Amino acid sequence: MNEYILFFIAIVPIIWLIVSLGALKLPAHKTCFFTAILTFFIAIVFWRMPFMDAITASIEGVAIAIWPILLVIVAALFTYNLAVETKSMDTMKNMLSSITTDERIQVLILAWGFGGFLEAVAGYGTAVAIPASILASIGFNPVFAAIICLIANTVPTAFGAIGIPVTTLATVTGLDVMNLSYLISIQLAPFIIIIPFALVILTKKSFKAIKGVFWITLASGVAFAIPQIFIAKYLGAELPALVGSLCSMLTTILIAKLMNKKNKSESIQHDSDGEVIAQSKISLKQGVLAWLPYILLCVLILIASPLFPFVNEFLAKFSSNIQIYSGEGAKPIHFAWINTPGMMIIIATFIAGLVQKIKISTMVDVFIKTLKQLTKSFVTITSIVAISKIMSYSTMTSSISFGLCAITGTLYPIIAPLLGAIGTFVTGSDTSANILFGGLQSEAAKSLGINPYWIAAANTAGATAGKMISPQSIAIATSATGLIGKEGKIFSSTIKFCLVYVIILGIVVYLGGNFIGI
């Protein structure tokens, strides 16, 4: 069949997802399940995918959706629910208020800094689920909390989960990981500066929101961008987002504390007689106990990462390679049973619960309630990962990429980031987007006489934009904020930012590839 016809047929599931979520605002669990069935039949009829191959591809998608993706959502929401149950969340709210009561700065600390750190060390939705649930709990509108965390969780995903997306891209393209890391950090640098300002403006729904927090917002972005570029250039892919997010979060907190100290007299509360109301101070022990699950999570994930080879190699023994897909080119799927973010969150939460002297029966009850709370999310995410597997194995994604190359010709660099964004939209993963399209991007660049490093980097940079509109990411956000069924409303808000992001990035890539001579 003609490649152009196949291209238009291949994008039908993607267009339907966009229309059903964005325009029709259908619940994600319904539209994703229908789209999975639609994709299944399209693959069989037009790509001649054998029936059993389509079945096993779907089963593989469901398996990956359950472990590790859904595991992360369950674990993150369990941690939050337990904090609410034990009143630890109240302590966390008070501590955040002691740093700053300014909602704009709280967003920078939690959604941008803390979210970026979680993405850097764990990935798999932790950077959306945990900050969004905390923001909602401290008084932010749940819809806003979900949207703001999805927008914040863009640029950090390029080097997320200790650099896995970039190291994977280097593997599938055969390109040097150091050069790739550096060029990706260069392409993302403008967005790292801009996004904190966008978050501040969105918090108050006005450009005037920047007044009074311009310098702390700028510092929050610069403190992320400069270390990330430096680390990417000289150390590679593992640490740029980790170091950048930590520098950003610490810088923001330090400046916020100084600003709060300066304005302390204005924030002192008085009673009706003008007397100062005594405000209870939170002891160090109370603070540590309240944040203990997240402290332990960070410690466990870092220790279990490749940064500590002995521990990482020991935990790697507790894993399995399982063959599920039955078609040509099938490879076993690797399942890590302990060293996966979801398990690390659960372990950290149970240990913290025991230290906090919470009854095991209470923790089990909260865990069971969390599972019941996420029934619709299970349908959404298993469906969307099944779709990505069917599209990948049937070569529907290849038809999309070849079609875009043929249509755009020499203007291809402009749409190179769009291809990465489509990859993340379909799969929910920057890593998977690189596996799907990384090799093709590199080959397209060579055929056009453009540096393949620059275009391959654009795939990863573009994939970060797709993260904010991926049904998988949106399902995580709605699960964490109690908005299951509101996915369409969130999608229609984030897609506008995604389009602007991809357009600007496409111009940057085009200019860099054709005029700067990269």
Side-chain angles (χ1 to χ4, degrees):
M1 189 178 289
N2 185 285
E3 280 292 332
Y4 287 100
I5 295 174
L6 285 176
F7 164 72
F8 286 110
I9 295 172
I11 62 174
V12 166
I14 294 173
I15 292 173
W16 166 247
L17 278 174
I18 293 171
V19 171
S20 61
L21 288 172
L24 303 179
K25 293 183 172 56
L26 297 176
H29 68 283
K30 292 181 180 179
T31 192
C32 288
F33 183 72
F34 173 78
T35 307
I37 296 172
L38 175 65
T39 308
F40 183 91
F41 283 108
I42 287 175
I44 290 173
V45 174
F46 295 100
W47 274 263
R48 302 288 189 267
M49 190 179 195
F51 181 79
M52 281 309 299
D53 288 3
I55 289 288
T56 53
S58 303
I59 294 172
E60 183 176 294
V62 170
I64 294 171
I66 293 171
W67 199 283
I69 298 166
L70 279 167
L71 181 66
V72 165
I73 302 172
V74 170
L77 196 56
F78 165 59
T79 305
Y80 166 72
N81 286 341
L82 193 63
V84 172
E85 179 79 17
T86 60
K87 309 297 183 186
S88 293
M89 192 56 68
D90 292 336
T91 304
M92 293 163 65
K93 291 179 194 177
N94 291 334
M95 289 183 71
L96 283 168
S97 296
S98 70
I99 296 173
T100 179
T101 55
D102 192 317
E103 291 181 343
R104 298 167 296 180
I105 300 175
Q106 288 176 343
V107 163
L108 290 176
I109 294 170
L110 284 171
W112 178 246
F114 186 49
F117 175 76
L118 288 172
E119 181 62 43
V121 297
Y124 294 105
T126 53
V128 173
I130 292 176
S133 61
I134 295 175
L135 283 171
S137 74
I138 63 175
F140 283 84
N141 180 288
V143 173
F144 168 78
I147 292 170
I148 212 78
C149 288
L150 285 166
I151 294 172
N153 186 42
T154 46
V155 287
T157 62
F159 295 100
I162 313 296
I164 289 175
V166 181
T167 54
T168 301
L169 180 63
T171 301
V172 299
T173 58
L175 300 173
D176 178 66
V177 71
M178 296 286 282
N179 288 336
L180 269 178
S181 298
Y182 177 57
L183 291 180
I184 290 168
S185 69
I186 291 295
Q187 289 182 8
L188 290 175
F191 297 94
I192 297 176
I193 304 298
I194 293 168
I195 287 176
F197 284 99
L199 299 179
V200 166
I201 292 167
L202 284 170
T203 302
K204 294 295 184 182
K205 298 182 177 64
S206 171
F207 281 95
K208 294 179 181 178
I210 297 172
K211 185 178 179 182
V213 293
F214 176 87
W215 293 111
I216 189 173
T217 306
L218 181 63
S220 192
V222 171
F224 198 132
I226 293 177
Q228 175 159 297
I229 293 172
F230 181 84
I231 297 294
K233 181 173 177 63
Y234 295 104
L235 295 180
E238 287 80 8
L239 296 175
L242 175 59
V243 175
S245 60
L246 272 176
C247 290
S248 177
M249 185 164 51
L250 293 174
T251 300
T252 308
I253 291 173
L254 178 61
I255 297 174
K257 289 286 282 184
L258 292 173
M259 290 171 64
N260 195 34
K261 187 176 180 181
K262 183 178 179 181
N263 299 321
K264 191 173 181 181
S265 59
E266 298 176 12
S267 62
I268 295 175
Q269 296 180 348
H270 298 79
D271 61 20
S272 58
D273 297 322
E275 297 293 326
V276 175
I277 298 174
Q279 295 176 309
S280 58
K281 288 186 178 181
I282 298 169
S283 67
L284 178 62
K285 180 181 177 181
Q286 287 176 309
V288 170
L289 284 175
W291 286 94
L292 191 58
Y294 301 109
I295 295 170
L296 287 176
L297 167 63
C298 296
V299 171
L300 288 177
I301 288 177
L302 282 173
I303 291 174
S305 75
L307 299 175
F308 295 85
F310 176 77
V311 179
N312 183 262
E313 290 167 11
F314 173 74
L315 292 177
K317 296 176 182 178
F318 301 94
S319 62
S320 303
N321 292 315
I322 302 174
Q323 183 85 36
I324 300 177
Y325 178 60
S326 60
E328 185 180 347
K331 294 180 181 178
I333 301 300
H334 182 77
F335 292 93
W337 304 119
I338 296 178
N339 193 9
T340 187
M343 279 303 297
M344 289 296 174
I345 296 171
I346 291 172
I347 291 168
T349 303
F350 267 97
I351 292 173
L354 293 174
V355 174
Q356 294 168 335
K357 298 181 181 178
I358 303 169
K359 292 180 180 179
I360 293 177
S361 60
T362 301
M363 289 191 276
V364 171
D365 286 343
V366 172
F367 189 80
I368 292 171
K369 288 177 184 175
T370 302
L371 288 175
K372 292 178 180 177
Q373 187 179 343
L374 293 171
T375 306
K376 291 179 180 178
S377 295
F378 291 167
V379 177
T380 300
I381 292 172
T382 52
S383 298
I384 200 68
V385 183
I387 291 167
S388 73
K389 286 297 176 181
I390 294 169
M391 292 186 73
S392 177
Y393 284 130
S394 67
T395 69
M396 287 172 69
T397 49
S398 296
S399 295
I400 293 172
S401 57
F402 281 118
L404 287 173
C405 285
I407 291 168
T408 56
T410 55
L411 294 176
Y412 178 76
I414 292 178
I415 62 97
L418 175 62
L419 201 56
I422 291 172
T424 315
F425 174 80
V426 173
T427 65
S429 163
D430 202 318
T431 301
S432 297
N434 285 339
I435 293 171
L436 282 174
F437 297 132
L440 181 129
Q441 297 265 32
S442 176
E443 292 304 315
K446 291 175 184 176
S447 67
L448 293 168
I450 303 171
N451 189 329
Y453 282 95
W454 187 246
I455 300 298
N459 191 78
T460 296
T464 65
K467 191 76 173 176
M468 72 177 92
I469 60 167
S470 167
Q472 181 179 305
S473 297
I474 292 172
I476 292 171
T478 55
S479 301
T481 52
L483 294 170
I484 297 170
K486 301 286 186 182
E487 293 85 0
K489 184 175 183 180
I490 292 170
F491 176 84
S492 60
S493 296
T494 56
I495 193 169
K496 293 177 282 190
F497 295 96
C498 179
L499 289 173
V500 172
Y501 192 125
V502 170
I503 290 169
I504 295 172
L505 183 57
I507 294 169
V508 169
V509 172
Y510 181 79
L511 293 175
N514 292 279
F515 300 131
I516 302 173
I518 292 178

